[in-house]
C-alpha cells in the first residue's frame, strides 16, 4: 500500500529531510502536493524528481518562474495563500506541516478540518491557534502527529501508558550555542553565530529561537496543547548533548524517554511511517562513544524566554498569538541586523506587557491579533533600531 503525502514547506530543512526519507522508500509514498514560499527553482526540481501532482508557491511573484520550470510536465503549478489552502484539502491523506511561522496556520488548519493525518513541525501555528487547532482536529477526526523532536519523543513515550497516569513531562533543551555565555557576551552576538546550532542543522528562524531559548518557550506552549497534563507538570531540563529528546514520568515513577542522534529525519521517520516503523539511514546512537549525558536547570535570568512563554500560557487568550507574532518580527529584525540579539526577548516581553486584546474565539480573531501584534512590534523594532 502506498501512502499519498503532501509537504508544505518542502524546500525547507524539515521538508527536505522528509523528502530524503521518501527518496529512500520511493515505492511506499506518492507525492501529491509540494509547496514553498518563493523558491520556485528548487520547488520545481523537487516536484519533478518526486512526480508531484501539484506544486504551489505562496508568493504570487514566484508563479511565472514555477510555471515556466514545470512547462512540458503534467505537474500543476499554482500560487498564493488560497492555492495553499486548496492543496491542503485535496489528495494526500498524510500532510507534513513544515512551513515556518504563522503563515503555515491556514493550510495546516485546512488539512485538519479535512480529517487528514497531519505531521506537525510548524510549531508557530499551534502556539498561535492551539485551542482552535486541537478542537478542529477532534471534530474532524484528524490525527496530529508531533514532529518537533521533543514532542515526537513524548508522543512515543506516551505509548507506554495513559495521559492520566503521567506525573511529569520533561522537555529537554540543548541550551543553544550561547548556553555558557554571559549576558555581556551575548550582547554582541551576530546572526551568523546565532544560526550555528551546536547539535542540529535547522532553518534560520528556529536556530535563532534555539539561541534565545524562545524555541523552548514555543515548545512549552506546543506541549501544553498536545499533551494536556497541566502546565505545572511540564518542566524544562537543559541537556546539552541532545540525545534524550524528552521524557515522560508516570505515577509509578517509571520514566520513559526517547533517545536518538540529533537528526530530524528520526522523528520525521516515526511520523511518516506511523503507526508502523520504517528503516532510515540515520546514524545509530552510540552511547559508549558519547560517554556521558549532562543535565542542568535552565537559567531564566540569562534566557528569560521560557519564563515569558509560561506567563503567556497562564494569561491565555490572545497572549500566545501575540508572543509568536512579536517573536517572528523580532527574529527577522535581528537576522536583518536591525536589532541586537538580546533585543529579541526584550521586544517580545514589552509587546506582551503593552496591551491586551479580547480573547480570540475564531480564526479571524487570531489573524487580527497576529496582524496588530506585528504592527506594534515593528514600532518597538523602530525604537530599538541599531
Ligand atoms: P526553513 O526556513 O528551513 O523552511 C521553511 C519552509 O517554509 C520553506 O519551504 C519556505 O519556502 C516555506 N515558507 C517560508 N515562508 C513561507 C510563507 N510565508 N508561506 C508559505 N511558505 C513559506 O524552516 P525549517 O524547516 O527549519 O522549519 C519549518 C518549521 O518546522 C518551523 O515551524 C520550525 O519551528 C519547525 N521545526 C523545525 C526543525 C528543524 O530541524 N529545522 C525542528 C523542529 C521544528 P522557501 O524555501 O520558498 O522560502
Amino acid at each position: 500500500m502506498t501512502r499519498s503525502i503532501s509537504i508544505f514547506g518542502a524546500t525547507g530543512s524539515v521538508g527536505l529531510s522528509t523528502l530524503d526519507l521518501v527518496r529512500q522508500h520511493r515505492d511506499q509514498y506518492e507525492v501529491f502536493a509540494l509547496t514553498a514560499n518563493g523558491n520556485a527553482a528548487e520547488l520545481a526540481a523537487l516536484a519533478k524528481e518526486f512526480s508531484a501532482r501539484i506544486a504551489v508557491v505562496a508568493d504570487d511573484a514566484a508563479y511565472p518562474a514555477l510555471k515556466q520550470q514545470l512547462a512540458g510536465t503534467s505537474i500543476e503549478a499554482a500560487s498564493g495563500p488560497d492555492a495553499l489552502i486548496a492543496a491542503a484539502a485535496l489528495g494526500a491523506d498524510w500532510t507534513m506541516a513544515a512551513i515556518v511561522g504563522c503563515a503555515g496556520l491556514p493550510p495546516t488548519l485546512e488539512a485538519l478540518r479535512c480529517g487528514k493525518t497531519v505531521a506537525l513541525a510548524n510549531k508557530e501555528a499551534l502556539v498561535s491557534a492551539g485551542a482552535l487547532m486541537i478542537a478542529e482536529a477532534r471534530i474532524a477526526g484528524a490525527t496530529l502527529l508531533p514532529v518537533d523532536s521533543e514532542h515526537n519523543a513524548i508522543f512515543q513515550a506516551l505509548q507506554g501508558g495513559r495521559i492520566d497516569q503521567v506525573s511529569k513531562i520533561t522537555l529537554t533543551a540543548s541550551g543553544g550555542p550561547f548556553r555558557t555565555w554571559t549576558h555581556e557576551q551575548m550582547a554582541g552576538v551576530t546572526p551568523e553565530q546565532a544560526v550555528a546550532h551546536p547539535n542540529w542543522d535547522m532553518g534560520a528562524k528556529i536556530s535563532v529561537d534555539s539561541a534565545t531559548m524562545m524555541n523552548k518557550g514555543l515548545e512549552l506552549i506546543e506541549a501544553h496543547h498536545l499533551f494536556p497534563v497541566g502546565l505545572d507538570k511540564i518542566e524544562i531540563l537543559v541537556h546539552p548533548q541532545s540525545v534524550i529528546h524528552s521524557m515522560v514520568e508516570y505515577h509509578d515513577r517509571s520514566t520513559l524517554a526517547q533517545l536518538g542522534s540529533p537528526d530530524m529525519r528520526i522523528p520525521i521517520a516515526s511520523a511518516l511511517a506511523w503507526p508502523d516503523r520504517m528503516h532510515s539511514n540515520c546514524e545509530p546512537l552510540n552511547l559508549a562513544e558519547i560517554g556521558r549525558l549532562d543535565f542542568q536547570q535552565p537559567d531564566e535570568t540569562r534566557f528569560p524566554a521560557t519564563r515569558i512563554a509560561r506567563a503567556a500560557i497562564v494569561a491565555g487568550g490572545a497572549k500566545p498569538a501575540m508572543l509568536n507574532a512579536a517573536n517572528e518580527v523580532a527574529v527577522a529584525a535581528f537576522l536583518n541586523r536591525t536589532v541586537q540579539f538580546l533585543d529579541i526577548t526584550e521586544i517580545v516581553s514589552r509587546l506582551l506587557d503593552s496591551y491586551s486584546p479580547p480573547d480570540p474565539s475564531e480564526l479571524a480573531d487570531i489573524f487580527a491579533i497576529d496582524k496588530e501584534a506585528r504592527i506594534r512590534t515593528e514600532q518597538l523594532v523602530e525604537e530599538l533600531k541599531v
Side-chain angles (χ1 to χ4, degrees):
M1 274 263 292
T2 56
R3 175 172 254 185
S4 171
I5 68 168
S6 288
I7 303 175
F8 288 74
T11 50
S13 165
V14 171
L16 292 173
S17 293
T18 310
L19 286 168
D20 189 53
L21 289 161
V22 173
R23 201 175 272 120
Q24 295 168 40
H25 299 272
R26 283 298 291 267
D27 54 327
Q28 288 166 39
Y29 297 95
E30 258 172 43
V31 176
F32 182 76
L34 295 179
T35 85
N37 188 27
N39 194 347
E42 189 168 12
L43 181 65
L46 292 169
K48 285 184 204 167
E49 180 189 349
F50 289 94
S51 308
R53 292 268 298 281
I54 307 177
V56 187
V57 277
D59 183 356
D60 288 321
Y63 179 72
L66 181 67
K67 184 88 184 142
Q68 192 225 322
Q69 305 213 23
L70 292 179
T73 74
S74 58
I75 304 164
E76 187 186 324
S79 76
D82 290 345
L84 274 185
I85 295 173
L90 298 171
D93 45 40
W94 187 96
T95 299
M96 167 56 81
I99 289 175
V100 61
C102 200
L105 174 57
T108 305
L109 195 60
E110 183 67 15
L112 291 173
R113 282 176 172 158
C114 292
K116 296 180 186 295
T117 298
V118 176
L120 186 78
N122 178 210
K123 63 188 83 184
E124 296 90 349
L126 200 64
V127 168
S128 298
L132 184 72
M133 282 174 65
I134 299 291
E136 295 275 6
R138 194 168 296 135
I139 291 166
T143 303
L144 254 182
L145 299 174
V147 167
D148 222 343
S149 59
E150 295 77 1
H151 305 76
N152 183 268
I154 296 163
F155 181 80
Q156 294 198 44
L158 281 172
Q159 309 304 308
R162 291 196 317 264
I163 194 121
D164 62 306
Q165 297 167 328
V166 171
S167 56
K168 187 172 72 180
I169 286 178
T170 302
L171 271 179
T172 53
S174 71
F178 313 126
R179 181 175 55 85
T180 59
W181 289 34
T182 63
H183 195 267
E184 290 67 33
Q185 285 174 308
M186 283 192 281
V189 160
T190 63
E192 291 73 19
Q193 288 172 312
V195 298
H197 195 279
N199 305 342
W200 299 93
D201 183 11
M202 309 182 285
K205 195 258 175 186
I206 185 175
S207 298
V208 176
D209 285 345
S210 294
T212 60
M213 294 280 287
M214 185 57 85
N215 184 47
K216 215 45 59 180
L218 299 177
E219 289 179 7
L220 189 65
I221 303 177
E222 197 183 358
H224 171 66
H225 288 297
L226 289 171
F227 313 114
V229 295
L231 190 57
D232 56 327
K233 289 186 183 162
I234 308 176
E235 68 164 28
I236 295 169
L237 182 66
V238 175
H239 164 44
Q241 292 91 353
S242 300
V243 167
I244 298 180
H245 297 301
S246 278
M247 301 178 250
V248 174
E249 182 197 77
Y250 290 94
H251 287 158
D252 61 3
R253 302 295 181 215
S254 277
T255 297
L256 301 193
Q258 185 262 350
L259 286 71
S261 303
D263 182 335
M264 275 307 290
R265 290 174 304 170
I266 297 174
I268 294 170
S270 121
L272 190 56
W274 185 88
D276 206 346
R277 294 268 178 190
M278 70 196 296
H279 285 277
S280 87
N281 61 6
C282 301
E283 276 301 304
L285 192 59
N286 187 335
L287 286 174
E289 200 170 89
I290 293 164
R292 58 181 270 182
L293 299 178
D294 297 297
F295 306 95
Q296 61 197 72
Q297 288 298 329
D299 178 348
E300 292 191 333
T301 307
R302 281 183 304 131
F303 298 99
T306 48
R307 180 170 38 76
I308 295 168
R310 203 175 275 275
I313 307 171
V314 172
K319 295 290 176 179
M322 290 167 64
L323 174 140
N324 179 67
N327 185 56
E328 285 194 34
V329 172
V331 170
F334 166 69
L335 287 170
N336 293 335
R337 298 174 210 279
T338 312
V339 298
Q340 309 243 4
F341 180 72
L342 291 175
D343 292 337
I344 299 172
T345 35
E346 177 60 25
I347 287 171
V348 174
S349 172
R350 282 199 207 177
L351 187 276
L352 285 168
D353 291 343
S354 65
Y355 72 112
S356 292
D359 291 358
S361 56
E362 56 181 12
L363 190 60
D365 300 338
I366 306 273
F367 287 138
I369 291 162
D370 179 85
K371 192 173 170 193
E372 185 180 2
R374 282 170 199 271
I375 293 167
R376 289 180 182 241
T377 308
E378 292 290 2
Q379 289 162 2
L380 291 172
V381 164
E382 247 339 275
E383 287 166 24
L384 290 170
K385 211 167 177 174
V386 285

